[in-house]
Amino acid sequence: MPHTVGILFVHGIGTQACGDTLLQFGGAVHRWLKGWLQGLARGGDVEMPDTRLQPSPEDPLAPAHTRLVIRPGEGRHEESWLLAESWWADVFRPPRFADLAYWLLAIVPPAIPLHFAPRIRDWLGLFERGSDIRDRAADRAARIRGNRPMARGLGELFVYALLTPLAMVIGLTIQALTLLLMALALAPVGPLRRFTGSVQQQLAASVGDSFIFLTSPFERSAIASRVQRDLGWLAARCEHVVVVAHSQGGAVSHLALEGLSGEGRTPKNMELLITFGSGLRKLFDLRQLLNKPAGWMMVAWSVVGVAS
């Protein structure tokens, strides 16, 4: 294969344009490699002889990508890396704010304290035995407590205990702002209604990504299929492949790789999945709330007192 390493970048929620993630993540990789090679004082360098930030008529299935030629210097063997972007923001339409409003009012606010409270329970080991998942979580919590100084652990517990009630305030604020936006949209004032409509569109285009991912199986499948297609394109051209996913891109990549694994189609040269700021746990909590909103909302708002 012509390229030694292939890196696929998967973006998260937001209004990214095609090529934005490659510019940000790929640019950081290029700068680091260039600085590292120059710091070795071997005369090494990194070149980018071929970069495409938009689809090309010659290869319409090719994602945005760039080729890095790494020359370590001093007669060392050069390598070719292929960096590509899996851009999935265009495979679905943003939801209507009317649909998103219910989610912002009933689902998101109780999910915020749920995000912090389990960490407190993990640290304290407040799990009932008898469940494999709970047993593993309790064992993990015990290892965490055993591998860190007590002072640091107590400090983290104190921070989480403060953040959990703060999460309730944030949730109530989101509900109040959502109701305010709905009320202002009905106001008989042209500029105000246009401003409110613009804010609603921005919310639908950003936060709406998570809403669509959780509520629409068709569009969720389309998003995963895009990542699978881009991964296949990259794997066919590289000896080793790495996926780097940010935010909700971690959940998207997880779904895509899970689908490939279930069908036995995972590329054999797929070496590593790296996620940072992954939203997988948050999406799991939101999915539970969507399935049983009434019961989970009671749990979410009462768990603060139990956990802290």
Side-chain angles (χ1 to χ4, degrees):
M1 294 185 181
H3 307 290
T4 306
V5 176
I7 304 178
L8 183 67
F9 300 114
V10 184
H11 66 81
I13 64 174
T15 55
Q16 295 89 349
C18 182
D20 280 358
T21 305
L22 180 63
L23 284 172
Q24 296 171 9
F25 294 3
V29 172
H30 173 260
R31 289 191 299 272
W32 188 90
L33 284 173
K34 194 175 186 70
W36 178 67
L37 288 172
Q38 292 176 349
L40 294 177
R42 294 175 178 169
D45 200 3
V46 182
E47 297 180 1
M48 287 191 293
D50 181 23
T51 299
R52 298 182 183 181
L53 299 179
Q54 298 292 333
S56 170
E58 293 81 13
D59 191 359
L61 296 181
H65 63 275
T66 186
R67 183 164 67 93
L68 301 183
V69 178
I70 304 171
R71 296 189 172 92
E74 295 185 357
R76 295 176 179 267
H77 179 68
E78 70 177 38
E79 290 188 3
S80 176
W81 289 18
L82 188 61
L83 313 184
E85 166 195 290
S86 187
W87 183 56
W88 50 267
D90 68 327
V91 301
F92 67 94
R93 293 178 296 177
R96 299 181 307 160
F97 184 77
D99 298 326
L100 187 62
Y102 165 75
W103 196 59
L104 291 173
L105 287 171
I107 305 301
V108 173
I112 298 175
L114 276 178
H115 174 68
F116 295 106
R119 284 162 173 73
I120 299 177
R121 297 201 310 271
D122 286 354
W123 199 94
L124 294 174
L126 298 179
F127 285 87
E128 298 177 1
R129 310 299 290 182
S131 165
D132 290 341
I133 296 177
R134 287 172 176 168
D135 290 350
R136 289 197 298 269
D139 292 341
R140 178 176 177 273
R143 290 196 301 272
I144 290 173
R145 294 197 302 274
N147 293 334
R148 67 177 55 158
M150 178 60 69
R152 180 183 174 189
L154 289 174
E156 291 181 1
L157 178 62
F158 178 72
V159 170
Y160 284 133
L162 289 179
L163 287 177
T164 305
L166 178 61
M168 292 184 65
V169 176
I170 295 174
L172 293 172
T173 303
I174 291 175
Q175 289 177 323
L177 291 176
T178 302
L179 291 172
L180 179 62
L181 281 175
M182 296 172 67
L184 292 178
L186 302 176
V189 181
L192 183 59
R193 294 187 64 176
R194 286 193 293 272
F195 170 77
T196 305
S198 176
V199 174
Q200 291 179 350
Q201 290 176 0
Q202 290 297 320
L203 283 173
S206 55
V207 183
D209 291 2
S210 298
F211 174 79
I212 288 295
F213 189 75
L214 288 171
T215 60
S216 174
F218 288 98
E219 289 171 302
R220 182 167 62 246
S221 175
I223 293 171
S225 297
R226 170 64 61 84
V227 176
Q228 292 170 350
R229 187 196 74 182
D230 295 338
L231 178 60
W233 181 90
L234 189 66
R237 292 163 173 78
C238 304
E239 296 178 9
H240 309 281
V241 175
V242 176
V243 176
V244 178
H246 170 250
S247 182
Q248 188 171 302
V252 170
S253 301
H254 178 270
L255 179 66
L257 292 173
E258 189 177 49
L260 290 175
S261 176
E263 299 175 0
R265 296 190 295 115
T266 305
K268 294 182 179 180
N269 53 351
M270 170 71 194
E271 305 282 353
L272 188 64
L273 168 63
I274 300 174
T275 65
F276 57 103
S278 173
L280 190 58
R281 173 59 184 268
K282 301 181 188 68
L283 289 172
F284 174 80
D285 290 341
L286 289 169
R287 183 173 297 168
Q288 298 303 310
L289 288 166
L290 281 170
N291 291 337
K292 296 180 180 180
W296 274 99
M297 275 190 282
M298 292 177 63
V299 172
W301 292 120
S302 63
V303 78
V304 178
V306 174
S308 60

